[in-house]
Amino acid sequence: MKTALPMIECCAPVSAPIAEDEANRLAAAFGVLADPTRLRLMSLIAEEGEACVCDLTASVGLAQPTVSHHLRLLHQAGLVEREQRGKWAYFRSSGRPLRELVKLLRTSFGG
């Protein structure tokens, strides 16, 4: 007759993961950034510090309504800030959400 071996804990508990609500928020932001056009827009805004929709359309070769749609999604995700100046909207990177994404990537991938 075989006897059961005692259960031995193999590893020490790991630290707690990020909170579920934070994970959901960051996943949504990564989802928004998973589009090539939105990544290109983010790179342009980051490079310039601030950009008008009218300047971004020519840079990415898309019509203003399409660029505005992508910028709206970036804004809703909290990745860019929007300021209306007369007829045109100007966008700049939102610092905190981007820093959180970078911090998560560095922590996860040792960068």
Side-chain angles (χ1 to χ4, degrees), residues 50 52-53 81-92:
E50 175 180 84
C52 175
V53 172
E81 297 172 358
R82 182 184 187 278
E83 181 182 340
Q84 191 72 35
R85 296 183 198 160
K87 177 181 175 181
W88 297 104
Y90 287 78
F91 294 85
R92 64 184 158 277

Side-chain angles (χ1 to χ4, degrees), residues 30-87:
F30 278 121
V32 169
L33 286 174
D35 179 88
T37 298
R38 290 190 283 273
L39 279 175
R40 293 179 70 210
L41 290 169
M42 284 298 300
S43 72
L44 288 166
I45 293 168
E47 180 72 27
E48 297 298 319
E50 175 180 84
C52 175
V53 172
C54 61
D55 298 325
L56 295 170
T57 55
S59 297
V60 294
L62 297 170
Q64 182 272 325
T66 303
V67 171
S68 291
H69 165 75
H70 287 292
L71 290 168
R72 181 174 39 84
L73 294 174
L74 290 166
H75 182 257
Q76 289 172 342
L79 297 169
V80 295
E81 297 172 358
R82 182 184 187 278
E83 181 182 340
Q84 191 72 35
R85 296 183 198 160
K87 177 181 175 181

Side-chain angles (χ1 to χ4, degrees), residues 26 29-30 33 79 97-106:
L26 291 172
F30 278 121
L33 286 174
L79 297 169
L98 291 173
R99 283 191 301 272
E100 289 173 351
L101 292 173
V102 169
K103 179 182 174 186
L104 180 63
L105 290 172
R106 283 188 177 147

Side-chain angles (χ1 to χ4, degrees), residues 5-11:
L5 296 174
M7 294 282 290
I8 299 173
E9 194 171 314
C10 70
C11 303

